[in-house]
Amino acid sequence: MKPKLLEANEHTLVSELNQSIVEPNVLGTTERQTLFKELEVNLELLKTNDEITVQQFKLKKELLVVVEKLSPDILSQISTKSYYKEELISKPLTKLKCSIEALLDELEDSIVIAELDEDAHIPSEILIPVGQLEILSSEAAESKMNNATSSISSTHLVKLLKILEKNIQNGMSVSLVSNHDDEDESELFLEMALERIMRAVYASLIGFHIMTSSNMPKIIYLEDFIEKVIQFTQYQLKNSVFPSFDPKCRTISKAKVNGKSKKHKTNAKELKISHERRLMYKKMAELISLLAELISVQVITDNSLLHASSIGVAIFFVNNIEQIQLSSLKLVTTIFMKHENHQRLILDDILSSLVRLSSGKNCLRTFKLQSGEYIQMFTALILQLIQCTVYIPDHILKSLNFDVNTYILKKYEIARKAAAYFISMFLEKCGSKSEDTCFRTLFDNFVLDLFMVFTKPEWPCAELMINLLGKLLVSKFIKKDVDMTLRTASLDIIGIIAVNLRKNYLLLQQRLTTMDNIFQEIKAIGEINMKNLVDENNHLLQVPEYEQALYLQSALVDYLSSCTASDQTFTNSRLFYLASWYQDVLSEQKKKSHVKKVSKNKEKKYKDKHKNEDSKSINHSQINTDPRINIVEIQKQFTIKSIVGVGNSKKKRPFDRIAHTLVDYKSVELICLYLFCKSSSSTNFDIYLNRVSSVLADSSIAIRTKALKCLTTIVEVDPNVLGMKEMQNSVKNSFFDQSSSVREAAVDLVGKFILCQPDLIDVYYEMIAPRILDTSVSVRKRVIRIFKEICMACPEFPKVEDICLKMIHRVSDEDGIKKLVVEAFQNIFFTPNYEKHESNSSALLYKVNIISRVVSECSDVTLDLFEKLLENLFKPEDNRHELIKHKMKVKPSQNCVIACQQIIDSLVKNVEKLEPSFVEHKQSPESSKLVLMYFSTMHLFAKVHPLLLINHGATLQPYLTLKCINSEDYQIISCVARLFELVVPIMENPSAPFLSQLQDNFLCLISQHDCAIVSSSVSCLATIVNNMTHNFSLVQLKSLYHTLLTENTVSHQVRIQVLNNIQMYLQEEESRMVKHDKEWSKLSKNENLKEMGDISSGMASSIIQFYLEDILKSTFHPNSGVRQTVLTVVQSIVQQGLVHPIQIVPYLICMGTDVEETLRHFADEHLLNIEKKYPGFIHMKSYYGIHLSYKLQSFFNDTNEVKVIRGFRLKEDRDPFALNAFLYSLLRTSKRHRRAFLHCILKQFDEQENTSLPEMLYLSDNLAYFPYQVQDELLFILHHINITTSVSGTSLLDAFHKQIQPNQNAEKFDLEGEVKEEDILSWVSEDNSALQDFIIASQGCLLLLLLREHLKKLYGISDTKICQYNPSESSKVYDKPVNRKSKTLFDPKPIIESIKQMRNSIVSCDTSRKILVKQYTLIKKLIIQFDNDVEENEKCGKVTKEQESFQDSNETTHSEILTPTQSLVVSVRDQAVAKGVAGYVLSVPSQAAMKRIVLGNGLCANPNGFGPLTNLPDFSYKDGRTAPLGVGQQARLLKQREFAKTVVKFCKEMDFAVERHNRLQKEEEQNRQRILDSKLKPKGKQWLETGSK
């Protein structure tokens, strides 16, 4: 009979059983028990059934194979009646025992074996065949699995272990790396080496299987055997396993072949034995696992522990050996857990081995998590090392006197310190500079792994390490004394931590509903035992959130408990969770204890106040004071009992339920995340954010920049962070940082994520907008990109117009900025709209409205920039340069033209909608503003591309006859006229009636409207006449312009319009000339320059010369607009060079004193340009310009008869300054021009110049407040004032004296005598016309004297310095700077009163006589004071005979020497005084006369060139020693020496020339004589006669 279970899917049962063995965590405990029960039933049926088929027989064999794989614990769950259980337990024991006995029988001489020395030769009889050892190894493993090894004799086992030790020793120093070049030798070597290695491997496995079996005696744990196995394992890993699987560990040997080095290559045999290598690899992994088991059950020596830990750590830094690494993970964890004194050594070993770890970003992640993800094996090692520290042995849990609280806290503290030590040392390596290893990348990978396991239930220490790391990083980047590399690295890593924390928080917020469902399911099925939640007063828990946390914690503990049987990691995880919660509870308890003390104090006060109240109410108030304090004790009890329950399964936990059947792995992950977010660590994100924000004020630019980038990564995860006030304040301060990189990072931070939260645009717009004016190009570029994104993503933003205006202003910036602005406008506004109803589409209407509003808000400068922007849109710079290079016509982009045409068409339709109200003359101000806005936009587009409006002429013409109701209507007419000016010239064959109507309309507008409309109309009419109709009779304006510019009755608007027309003519001529020059450059090779006539240029010059005088006279116009226009026209005239600039200079000087500040600056700028281009021209017309400026000031003051014209200007908190100060500053640089200018001004105070008194006052004010810089400027003025007053002052007083003095009283009058004013008044006759002339003539002298006193006081100039000044001196003594006193006014009251009296024609005779006497008295007083000062200085300057003797003895000082000119003046004045001539007039001789007088007296013409001042030493010694020569004297001596050499040289040359001349003369005479002598001589008788003679 066939069993029912076998009729089902038999193979499914086998596969499920195999899966339950390989992956025990997949099935729950109940499911596994059901599966094993099914296995047991099937085995019993197969046993009792005699008639089975072939298929059933195969199933029986497969089931038996599965049973052999089961562990003893699982076999114990199968019924004891099972035959197969008994067979499986007894069979391995019999096999292993028989095998050991047989082996020992073969080796009879056991004594010899025992006495073999370690270094002695191992006999071959002891070496066991590999196959036999392999069988023995499997039998030992089976025996261990069935707990049968302990029944074998310990004596036999010890003998076996000694034999195995010799087999291990035989393969100790053998590796699989062959250095033989011969392939046959290499093959033989590898076979022998592999045999010896595998013999040692199996021998080690047998020994460790025996030692790790249960209930084994202490005698079998042979230290030598364990040490031999550890040494063998270490050697083979390093020399055989690592090189076989990791290419980085292979050592390349080199051999010389024919004198050349040859690299060793892997031969073919090594590839054939790859299967054997893999077998060895698996066995080595098994051996390391057995070593871990051995260390967990037996204490070995410290030396062996060190070697074992070294083996385990080294494995993790080799690639491609994942299975061995998993075994090593168990080994290192066991050592770390069992031996606390080795923990620091293991961590140091790991840290020192980091250099061997792969540092790439795509590092090997080979450790597979239960969720299917992968992390680094290195990370898994560190996490398990920290987690395994919280370890509680069973004997400690069973101890009744053991304090669980203290032990858990101690273990948790050890884990925390180990984690802190590792992280701090690892982070320090990130700050070190290593060329070979990038520790920063290793650390980043480690942090990413921490967050990958952050919510995994089996890795609770990840949270601890992240918290410790966060605190450490904050401490690093906050301190300024930390290395900069480490600070920046800390900021980067803290950004990664903050980002991941925020991600987890947001993930939880998204899955809160799922979390609530999980909690409700857990609570519904596994109710908490309420007795365990009762406090001391029998009151239940009243805090829901703590109740939920308890439920979830218990569910997590139960889940980990269900996974403990399959993986020790879950046991460590569970203990770590409980320890961490317990630590949190104690921390919470400390906080609550303080609150409890406060509440007790309040309760005591409450009792004192309410003694008569019911005790029940008091108890009730005590209970409900703070229920959160009660929950602390409940949570504490839960944690302690759960920890105790871990080691004692018989004790019931306080929360008995079946939560593990409710939650899966993903649910547990969510529970872990929820518990973290509800813990105190959840506030770390806010702490990190505040700390990072705080370093934005750091002094280091790199730190501030890195902090902003860190915040950028955080905001990238959650843009809502930008809404925090602290964040806003920090970012706002960064916008004004001194470093451009910091500002760019701040702008980038806001710009990337501001669009994610439209509400934030209003908050950050005011911060971003000013950055478009940033000095950094990169910052401005980023702001422009942000503006473009705002306009495109949020068109409803109310400040779009302001954004557009700000971007338009940047068109004149660098090429990169301009290109970005153009691209932004092209993307926002100038992209074609291809909807069916284009003009009515919302997008097109949005564009039209925005552009129109932007144009309406633009100023004149902004409109020019907008026009430039449109030009770049139609004619991109890149294409333009390329096309010009290839001589091609620049054509606008087709898409741009289509988009602009759509905008123009929409604008026209908007105007047509408002047209009915204008036809009926009922337009409102709002409609007029809209129409004006639309027309202004059309005009802007027409200036760039007039073809856009060529089809809308008929629509625009009616607006020329618009009836103006408000100011906007006038602007509409002007705008339409300018539109026609642009559009009409490009119309193809316009109709004659249309042009005639336009001419009539514009003529009507010119005759009826004001300046603005007249300007546009005249311009448009000129365009039509010049280009289309050629009806020039309409525009004959030559005589009209002359009349309008000269007649005073013409309004200022008309005069401005005339000047504007002239300006437009000049601009058009300039444009035409530029165009003509371009054409001429193309045709110049074929033209004859002689035949060319510059007719057009001559025409413009003749026209300007005709109107120049009228234009310049318009400077004296009361309206500032007229004067402004004059300056504009003058600028164009000068730039084009139509007239000589000297004609314009005086008027520019005049305009430099205008009452309008803008006009003054404009005129000064032109004057400066002329001076730069034509040096010296300003000096030629400087005084005439001052005269015109006085005329202009008089023109301004015509309406004010009381006010006196002054030559200076006063401003608040500023000293007075001359009206012509800028002119003087231009002339000051040239000493010759400056002195000539000052001398010309001073000359105007002479009586012969007939300068009016108000103008002299105007000139003296300018002299008083010119911006003097050096002493020479002041001394030159004072020197000439002294000369002028000394000549004319006395003569004026003498003339006055003669007019009023009777002859009989002549002896009573003296020039220097004191006479009362009453006496002088009695002598003045009523007819004082002659005296009035005297007073008028003396005002100039009086004004100079007052000016002299003012300058002396203002600049602190003494009379001595004035008398010592010599204008002809070439020394730079007087180039010292001067100091000017502040707030000192020049106030010549007598002169001002005289001017006012002159204006007052009605003055009585007595009053006139009194004023005359007062002025005489004042003049007399000033002249006498001046003469006294001069005489005192003359006395100080006389040269006596004694002083002359001192001069001869080189003992005269410089202060006692008087210049020859001063001596001469003094002598002449002394003669006058000696003669007693009261009215002696000392006239100043001319320069030629003075030279004759000086030379006639035997003096030097230039006293500074020769004389005692230059020849004598600067000082002398009292003892008569010779004083050293000064620097100047030495220079003069050297110079004279050079002169002497030159004189000698020239004299020699002259002597040579004279001698040469004489020699040549003599030679010529000799030649002449020789010629004479060579003539024919007499012969015969004559010769004889001659010869006889």
Side-chain angles (χ1 to χ4, degrees), residues 1288-1302 1309-1311 1315-1317 1319-1325 1328-1338 1408-1420 1423 1479:
S1288 60
T1290 308
S1291 60
L1292 289 172
L1293 289 179
D1294 183 60
F1296 182 85
H1297 176 264
K1298 290 180 180 180
Q1299 291 291 332
I1300 65 173
Q1301 180 182 10
F1309 283 86
D1310 186 8
L1311 182 62
V1315 182
K1316 296 182 180 180
E1317 292 184 3
D1319 297 336
I1320 300 175
L1321 183 62
S1322 62
W1323 294 325
V1324 176
S1325 62
N1328 54 8
S1329 58
L1331 295 178
Q1332 290 287 351
D1333 296 336
F1334 157 76
I1335 293 298
I1336 293 173
S1338 64
S1408 176
R1409 291 168 62 204
K1410 291 179 180 179
I1411 294 173
L1412 189 147
V1413 171
K1414 286 183 179 181
Q1415 292 183 352
Y1416 162 74
T1417 306
L1418 178 61
I1419 294 173
K1420 177 183 176 182
I1423 290 177

Side-chain angles (χ1 to χ4, degrees), residues 798-810:
K799 295 185 179 180
V800 172
E801 295 87 352
D802 184 57
I803 291 176
C804 295
L805 288 172
K806 292 182 182 300
M807 288 195 294
I808 289 171
H809 280 91
R810 304 275 62 81

Side-chain angles (χ1 to χ4, degrees), residues 1228-1278:
R1228 183 176 54 204
T1229 56
S1230 174
K1231 185 176 182 181
R1232 180 170 61 87
H1233 292 168
R1234 180 185 70 214
R1235 289 188 171 184
F1237 172 68
L1238 294 175
H1239 188 271
C1240 185
I1241 295 177
L1242 292 171
K1243 187 178 179 182
Q1244 305 305 315
F1245 292 87
D1246 194 352
E1247 180 181 358
Q1248 298 177 359
E1249 296 294 332
N1250 295 325
T1251 306
S1252 64
L1253 184 58
E1255 186 172 356
M1256 285 192 292
L1257 177 61
Y1258 178 79
L1259 295 175
S1260 62
D1261 286 338
N1262 280 275
L1263 289 173
Y1265 295 111
F1266 274 154
Y1268 305 112
Q1269 290 185 346
V1270 295
Q1271 293 180 359
D1272 182 76
E1273 303 173 39
L1274 286 167
L1275 292 174
F1276 180 82
I1277 296 173
L1278 296 173

Side-chain angles (χ1 to χ4, degrees), residues 4 60 81 104 131 146 419 422 441 560 608 653 761 818 838 939 1044 1079 1225 1325 1415 1435 1535:
K4 294 182 179 180
K60 180 179 179 180
K81 297 180 181 179
L104 293 177
N146 294 281
F422 174 79
T441 306
L560 294 174
D608 295 338
R653 294 189 303 276
I761 298 179
K818 179 172 66 175
E838 298 172 349
H939 178 255
L1044 296 177
E1079 294 176 354
S1225 64
S1325 62
Q1415 292 183 352
K1435 291 179 181 178
K1535 189 175 181 180

Side-chain angles (χ1 to χ4, degrees), residues 668-723:
V668 174
E669 281 189 282
L670 189 58
I671 291 173
C672 293
L673 179 59
Y674 179 82
L675 291 175
F676 169 77
C677 293
K678 294 299 180 182
S679 66
S680 59
S681 301
S682 60
T683 60
N684 287 345
F685 173 78
D686 297 331
I687 296 174
Y688 300 156
L689 186 63
N690 292 332
R691 292 297 186 182
V692 173
S693 300
S694 65
V695 297
L696 291 176
D698 195 88
S699 58
S700 173
I701 296 175
I703 293 298
R704 299 199 301 271
T705 306
K706 186 65 69 175
L708 282 171
K709 292 181 179 179
C710 178
L711 293 176
T712 302
T713 58
I714 296 172
V715 176
E716 186 175 0
V717 177
D718 185 9
N720 291 321
V721 175
L722 287 173

Side-chain angles (χ1 to χ4, degrees), residues 530-546:
M530 292 299 178
K531 294 182 180 180
N532 294 294
L533 292 178
V534 177
D535 57 8
E536 298 175 355
N537 296 320
N538 296 325
H539 287 276
L540 298 178
L541 177 65
Q542 300 177 0
V543 184
E545 57 268 24
Y546 277 95

Side-chain angles (χ1 to χ4, degrees), residues 180-229:
H180 297 280
D181 295 333
D182 190 2
E183 294 183 0
D184 295 336
E185 293 181 1
S186 178
E187 180 180 355
L188 180 60
F189 171 79
L190 290 175
E191 289 180 357
M192 295 175 61
L194 183 62
E195 181 183 0
R196 294 173 63 181
I197 292 172
M198 293 306 298
R199 180 185 292 113
V201 170
Y202 283 121
S204 302
L205 289 173
I206 295 169
F208 277 2
H209 277 307
I210 294 172
M211 289 182 179
T212 56
S213 298
S214 60
N215 301 322
M216 299 303 293
K218 296 292 183 180
I219 193 172
I220 68 168
Y221 296 105
L222 302 177
E223 293 182 358
D224 293 339
F225 181 84
I226 296 172
E227 187 174 354
K228 277 283 191 296
V229 175

Side-chain angles (χ1 to χ4, degrees), residues 500-510 673 677 718:
N500 285 276
L501 290 177
R502 199 61 177 178
K503 282 182 180 179
N504 291 325
Y505 172 78
L506 297 175
L507 178 62
L508 179 63
Q509 298 302 315
Q510 296 173 1
L673 179 59
C677 293
D718 185 9

